[in-house]
Amino acid sequence: MNDPGLDKPISDDAKNLERQEEEEEDEMQDDQTYMDPSRWWFASTAFPLLAGTFGPIASAFNICALVQHWRVSIPPGGTEEHGIDVPDPSWLIAINAVSLIIAVIANMSLLFNMARRLSFSIAQPITIVGWYISSFLLVGLLAAASHSPSMELTAAEDRAFTQAFYYAIMAAGLYIIVASLMVITVYGAYAGHYAREFKLTMSQRTLMLQTISYLVYLECGAAVFAHIEGWMFVDGVYWANYTLLTIGLGDYSPSTHLGRSLLFPFAIGGIIILGLVIGSIRSLVLERGKKKLGARMIEKQRQAYLKKLERKKKGCAKITPLAEGQQKTREGKTEKERREEEFNMMRKIQDEAMSRRRWTALAISATAWLFLWLVGAMVFWKAEKNQQWTYFGALYFAYVSLLTIGYGDFTPESNSGKAFYVFWALLAIPTLTILISNMGDTVVKMIRDLTLWLGEFTVLPGEGGTKERIRKGARNVKEGILNNSNGSEEEAPGLLGEANHDTEKGEGQPKHKGETDEANDELAGDFENAEKQEADDDAARGDDIGKDIHLYHYLLVKEIRRVMPEIGQTPPKKYSYHEWAWFLRLMGEDENSTKFHRKAPIKDAVSDSPQLQKAVTDVNVKEDVGEQNQWSWLGARSPLMGDTEEAEWVLERLSMTLERELKKQRDQQKGADPEMKQEGLQPGKDGRDSDPDTKKENLASGKDSDKTDSRSSSSTYGASPPGTSEGKPSS
């Protein structure tokens, strides 16, 4: 039977399941690398991505080194650009081709490894050895071309090296660099610092494929236009490079009708592919790198803060749970009030670390941009000595190129300058993109906020008076609001209500719901209504235990529905302490009790990280509560640590709690039916005892102790969320 209506849903479900498994593996890898030293994160993630990006670039340069002779004879009064090719020996061409073939095999091996089509232990030796062999072959050819008398390349003034020779130098250097990076990656894997398998996101895994696609597109286009316009292939690469990067120097341009016609699709197609590559690089640097850098800064800031508290007896008491039987601290605070103070300390640590992270990222990207600008200008200054460039003129040319302005009044003419320009421009444009993004988080945002603040005194008056605006502005400056990552002070929403977001600014808005999200929300709503109805029916029958069970399920589902739209908000949702206390109570923990609390250690044991660093409530998975489940808001196992959004963390734990409770209820119902039949009892609705008094006696005698542990021990049903009446959940 072939039902066409089922084919697509089944295939979609299979794809969704596969994608969900991959996302879970990626998240697990994030958990495992979060608490590891940053150098091993670079070795496990950043180095393979750098190798996957620059390996194909090296092979593209190797192609440029193969298609043109390495030497030219300069005619009297001419320049390198008008040189006459000097044929290369056949053995040089053959070895050059062999190095290219080996490098392509190495690139494909790494690509298949990233795509999980080839195992780590097989792919990495092929990749590393292949790149090293290719580099050694090219280095040997370069040495022979530079110093062998048989090739007649002495220091004669009428001879020079072509662009192909300089492309070979860059290819050999890149092969050595990427191979060395992968050696470090392999060492870290075999030393046990991370798994011998790449755990990369989809965008990261496709970065290498996108880079290959862009380079193939660039070089194929260069070959076509070189043939149409009568250019050399390497000149076509030089032209295609600054065309697709939208620099447009203008020293080369299509002059034929066919060439100008083909430019229309070629330019737009290349810019699209380039946008994909830059988007993946931006995702790597700004998303993954930013999260990793921020997480490490939070961890260092947390350790420094705890060391500072350890040196003060009064400060140490703030992070130490109350002893058994102790009601309040010396300052007269209850355990919950002490925990709230811990929570606020952690929020302060987060804010300070995030501010440092933003400015550190800006400093790194600005340094990289300045390095490319200043060092690139120096190279062009030396390469274009025949044009008598000054260093200031080279700075001007590099600056105009970096900003993709491209006036064309300065252009490289030497073979070394053109070859270097291709590589330099490929690095410069993504670097500029990252710099602009980091400036948007810091400098640009400060200027925008300052402009809006000043506007309140002129053309944008607020509701309050001038004195009130001055006081508010001074308070914001003092508290650092001008550089607040959230862009505005966060308002604590009602726990069971909708968040009060600033719709005019468009911030804090949840992602648009898809069909799957709407279907899930509808199912959750039906389940929520069913549980509420069950609770009302049990209450009408006088079954308090059954009412509590269904009321607990009702609260869990209601909170899950409320948290789901808050995932993926911009900026990420941050919950208040009272919201966290309510969530934790639903998960089986009570902030008033010291049962799950401990003094935050400056450094957790190795066994605590990485598997436990974000698992606050392992009670959600295990019934027994031991030392490993105790945690602190200032500890490494705090839910505020890590790079998982708070809404995502809460949703996952609430879902686990609901799943556990439903499974427990189902298992108890299966075990209760035979006993009821033997004792002649008539089971009530859902298989529970019809007599609530009998059930209460069983609970008092310990027969249903597992239920007692899951609810009454944590005082779940006695809790009331913020903004509701005591003990009564709002609907």
Side-chain angles (χ1 to χ4, degrees):
M1 178 178 178
N2 185 15
D3 189 348
L6 293 178
D7 289 342
K8 191 174 186 301
I10 292 176
S11 63
D12 290 344
D13 289 342
K15 292 179 181 178
N16 291 335
L17 179 60
E18 182 179 357
R19 184 163 52 250
Q20 180 180 357
E21 292 175 351
E22 292 180 356
E23 290 175 354
E24 290 175 355
E25 291 179 359
D26 295 339
E27 182 180 355
M28 185 180 299
Q29 179 69 6
D30 289 341
D31 295 347
Q32 292 176 349
T33 59
Y34 167 71
M35 295 299 294
D36 291 342
S38 297
R39 60 181 177 271
W40 294 120
W41 177 84
F42 278 105
S44 64
T45 304
F47 286 177
L49 290 172
L50 288 173
T53 302
F54 287 98
I57 293 177
S59 296
F61 290 167
N62 202 339
I63 294 174
C64 295
L66 180 63
V67 298
Q68 183 186 13
H69 298 301
W70 284 15
R71 303 164 296 166
V72 291
S73 175
I74 303 175
T79 61
E80 294 179 354
E81 187 178 9
H82 305 94
I84 302 172
D85 286 341
V86 176
D88 293 329
S90 58
W91 57 266
L92 186 146
I93 299 174
I95 296 176
N96 199 350
V98 170
S99 70
L100 175 61
I101 294 173
I102 295 175
V104 169
I105 294 174
N107 278 305
M108 297 306 297
S109 176
L110 179 62
L111 177 62
F112 288 148
N113 188 202
M114 287 185 172
R116 301 176 184 176
R117 298 295 184 266
L118 197 61
S119 66
F120 185 89
S121 58
I122 296 176
Q124 291 312 307
I126 297 175
T127 299
I128 295 172
V129 174
W131 276 338
Y132 272 131
I133 291 176
S134 296
S135 65
F136 293 154
L137 291 176
L138 287 177
V139 169
L141 293 179
L142 291 168
S146 302
H147 302 288
S148 175
S150 62
M151 295 189 65
E152 300 178 357
L153 279 178
T154 57
E157 295 182 357
D158 61 340
R159 295 185 184 277
F161 291 111
T162 64
Q163 295 182 50
F165 177 83
Y166 297 104
Y167 277 118
I169 294 176
M170 292 187 292
L174 288 176
Y175 284 145
I176 293 176
I177 292 173
V178 295
S180 300
L181 291 178
M182 294 310 300
V183 167
I184 299 174
T185 298
V186 171
Y187 169 78
Y190 281 91
H193 295 288
Y194 41 83
R196 300 177 188 178
E197 184 179 1
F198 293 128
K199 299 292 186 180
L200 307 175
T201 64
M202 183 61 67
S203 61
Q204 291 173 340
R205 286 199 296 266
T206 56
L207 175 60
M208 185 177 182
L209 186 59
Q210 291 171 349
T211 304
I212 294 174
S213 301
Y214 174 75
L215 293 171
V216 170
Y217 188 87
L218 184 146
E219 296 210 337
C220 289
V224 172
F225 280 91
H227 177 72
I228 294 173
E229 301 295 333
W231 303 331
M232 291 187 297
F233 174 76
V234 288
D235 289 331
V237 171
Y238 166 73
W239 168 84
N241 182 63
Y242 71 61
T243 298
L244 298 184
L245 293 177
T246 68
I247 299 174
L249 293 179
D251 49 347
Y252 284 83
S253 60
S255 58
T256 64
H257 183 76
L258 178 60
R260 290 171 178 172
S261 300
L262 291 177
L263 178 64
F264 295 128
F266 174 73
I268 191 64
I271 291 173
I272 291 174
I273 300 176
L274 178 64
L276 294 175
V277 175
I278 293 179
S280 296
I281 295 175
R282 185 181 183 277
S283 174
L284 166 64
V285 177
L286 295 182
E287 304 301 331
R288 309 282 293 187
K290 182 183 291 185
K291 286 183 178 180
K292 184 63 181 178
L293 180 62
R296 293 304 302 168
M297 284 191 169
I298 291 176
E299 174 62 14
K300 290 182 179 180
Q301 190 83 0
R302 182 190 70 85
Q303 293 182 12
Y305 196 85
L306 290 177
K307 289 178 182 178
K308 183 178 179 181
L309 290 177
E310 287 285 353
R311 292 193 291 266
K312 301 178 181 179
K313 292 184 179 180
K314 186 177 180 180
C316 187
K318 293 180 179 180
I319 59 175
T320 304
L322 297 180
E324 186 175 354
Q326 185 180 359
Q327 298 298 324
K328 294 185 178 181
T329 63
R330 293 181 179 179
E331 292 79 13
K333 295 183 178 181
T334 63
E335 175 64 12
K336 186 173 183 179
E337 291 172 339
R338 186 198 66 80
R339 290 277 287 184
E340 184 175 4
E341 189 175 11
E342 263 190 19
F343 179 89
N344 294 331
M345 290 180 190
M346 192 64 206
R347 283 291 192 221
K348 181 180 178 182
I349 291 173
Q350 283 182 316
D351 294 339
E352 293 177 355
M354 287 300 100
S355 178
R356 287 183 57 193
R357 190 267 304 161
R358 289 193 298 270
W359 288 103
T360 301
L362 176 62
I364 293 174
S365 57
T367 301
W369 187 84
L370 286 173
F371 177 82
L372 285 172
W373 181 30
L374 301 178
V375 175
M378 182 173 294
V379 173
F380 291 124
W381 175 42
K382 295 295 184 181
E384 301 302 321
K385 58 184 178 181
N386 290 335
Q387 297 192 69
Q388 298 180 349
W389 281 14
T390 63
Y391 183 64
F392 178 78
L395 278 175
Y396 167 78
F397 165 73
Y399 186 81
V400 169
S401 296
L402 274 173
L403 297 182
T404 67
I405 299 173
Y407 289 126
D409 49 348
F410 281 74
T411 57
E413 293 182 359
S414 65
N415 292 330
S416 59
K418 289 180 179 179
F420 176 75
Y421 183 84
V422 172
F423 179 54
W424 177 82
L426 288 173
L427 296 179
I429 304 306
T431 303
L432 178 65
T433 303
I434 295 170
L435 174 62
I436 293 174
S437 298
N438 288 329
M439 289 180 65
D441 292 339
T442 52
V443 178
V444 175
K445 187 177 186 307
M446 288 183 64
I447 295 174
R448 183 197 68 183
D449 294 342
L450 181 61
T451 303
L452 293 175
W453 181 71
L454 292 175
E456 292 183 357
F457 296 94
T458 55
V459 296
L460 299 173
E463 295 181 358
T466 303
K467 292 182 179 180
E468 176 62 25
R469 289 197 295 272
I470 293 176
R471 283 197 297 267
K472 181 180 178 182
R475 183 172 64 252
N476 289 349
V477 172
K478 181 179 178 181
E479 297 175 358
I481 299 301
L482 283 179
N483 196 29
N484 192 324
S485 61
N486 290 338
S488 60
E489 291 187 65
E490 189 176 40
E491 298 180 1
L495 183 67
L496 296 178
E498 294 296 330
N500 183 21
H501 299 300
D502 187 355
T503 56
E504 292 182 359
K505 294 183 179 180
E507 294 181 348
Q509 295 301 316
K511 293 181 178 178
H512 179 69
K513 284 187 177 182
E515 294 181 0
T516 304
D517 295 334
E518 292 179 354
N520 291 337
D521 185 67
E522 184 178 353
L523 290 174
D526 293 341
F527 183 75
E528 176 186 334
N529 296 332
E531 290 294 334
K532 186 67 170 61
Q533 183 63 43
E534 293 281 359
D536 294 340
D537 293 344
D538 289 334
R541 291 196 304 269
D543 186 356
D544 294 335
I545 299 299
K547 180 193 73 174
D548 285 346
I549 292 176
H550 289 293
L551 182 60
Y552 185 27
H553 296 170
Y554 166 78
L555 290 174
L556 285 172
V557 178
K558 191 163 189 68
E559 291 305 301
I560 288 173
R561 291 187 66 196
R562 202 267 292 182
V563 171
M564 283 177 64
E566 296 173 343
I567 293 179
Q569 287 186 358
T570 304
K573 174 67 178 177
K574 288 186 177 181
Y575 297 108
S576 67
Y577 172 75
H578 297 289
E579 289 177 307
W580 271 109
W582 170 244
F583 288 141
L584 291 172
R585 175 159 289 189
L586 288 177
M587 298 173 195
E589 294 193 20
D590 187 0
E591 285 287 274
N592 291 295
S593 173
T594 61
K595 184 177 182 180
F596 298 98
H597 305 165
R598 69 168 179 174
K599 178 182 176 182
I602 296 177
K603 244 183 181 180
D604 272 359
V606 177
S607 60
D608 287 347
S609 63
Q611 289 84 359
L612 299 178
Q613 56 90 17
K614 290 191 295 182
V616 171
T617 51
D618 284 347
V619 70
N620 288 335
V621 183
K622 299 180 181 179
E623 295 294 335
D624 297 331
V625 179
E627 178 68 22
Q628 65 176 357
N629 295 318
Q630 293 182 339
W631 60 283
S632 167
W633 285 110
L634 289 171
R637 282 185 263 169
S638 168
L640 302 183
M641 296 290 288
D643 55 3
T644 302
E645 292 184 10
E646 294 182 19
E648 185 179 350
W649 193 98
V650 170
L651 178 62
E652 181 182 356
R653 266 55 179 192
L654 288 177
S655 301
M656 291 169 60
T657 303
L658 179 61
E659 182 180 357
R660 181 198 62 191
E661 291 297 319
L662 292 176
K663 182 176 183 301
K664 183 184 297 184
Q665 182 185 16
R666 184 171 63 251
D667 293 342
Q668 289 170 350
Q669 289 175 357
K670 290 181 180 178
D673 289 342
E675 296 178 2
M676 292 178 182
K677 291 180 180 180
Q678 292 176 2
E679 297 177 7
L681 296 176
Q682 295 296 324
K685 194 173 184 65
D686 289 336
R688 293 186 303 275
D689 295 338
S690 59
D691 185 1
D693 294 331
T694 305
K695 199 68 174 178
K696 291 178 181 178
E697 291 176 2
N698 292 340
L699 286 171
S701 62
K703 292 183 180 180
D704 285 322
S705 58
D706 52 347
K707 282 187 180 180
T708 311
D709 178 67
S710 66
R711 301 189 312 276
S712 58
S713 64
S714 59
S715 305
T716 300
Y717 306 112
S720 61
T724 62
S725 301
E726 184 67 28
K728 297 180 181 180
S730 61
S731 58

